């Protein structure tokens, strides 16, 4: 089975995902989070940098669990970018 190339929009979404996950990791070590998400540190590095813009769903779920993130929030970031809350 041949996989279609990712669109520019999907690549941008992967970058947003990576940035959000990296921000959520904060001061936690790459190795610590990768181990908690049952992936290699190199895979996590690729996701965070946007070089792996379309990680497997299970990997995203495990990363959300390791970083105490809501999967729905991460999905919104992937779809639309960071959610900005404005003072009213």
């Amino acid at each position: 089975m041949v996989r279609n190339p990712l669109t520019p929009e999907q690549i941008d979404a992967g970058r947003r995902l990576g940035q959000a996950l990296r921000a959520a990791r904060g001061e936690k070590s790459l190795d610590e989070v990768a181990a908690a998400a049952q992936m290699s540190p190199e895979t996590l590095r690729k996701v965070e940098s946007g070089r792996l813009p379309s990680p497997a769903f299970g990997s995203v779920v495990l990363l959300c669990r390791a970083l105490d993130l809501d999967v729905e929030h991460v999905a919104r970031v992937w779809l639309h970018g960071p959610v900005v809350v404005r003072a009213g």
Side-chain angles (χ1 to χ4, degrees), residues 17-29:
L17 172 66
Q19 290 169 352
L21 293 172
R22 174 61 190 101
R25 182 163 61 84
E27 298 297 318
K28 292 181 182 177
S29 78

Side-chain angles (χ1 to χ4, degrees), residues 14-15 18-19 22 43-52:
R15 287 187 187 122
Q19 290 169 352
R22 174 61 190 101
T43 298
L44 178 53
R45 189 175 290 110
K46 287 178 181 178
V47 172
E48 287 184 350
S49 69
R51 290 188 346 233
L52 182 58

Side-chain angles (χ1 to χ4, degrees), residues 59-83:
S59 296
V60 174
V61 169
L62 290 172
L63 279 168
C64 287
R65 180 186 294 170
L67 295 168
D68 196 28
L69 292 173
D70 179 54
V71 174
E72 182 65 30
H73 171 75
V74 172
R76 282 192 301 274
V77 168
W78 190 89
L79 287 168
H80 308 293
V83 177

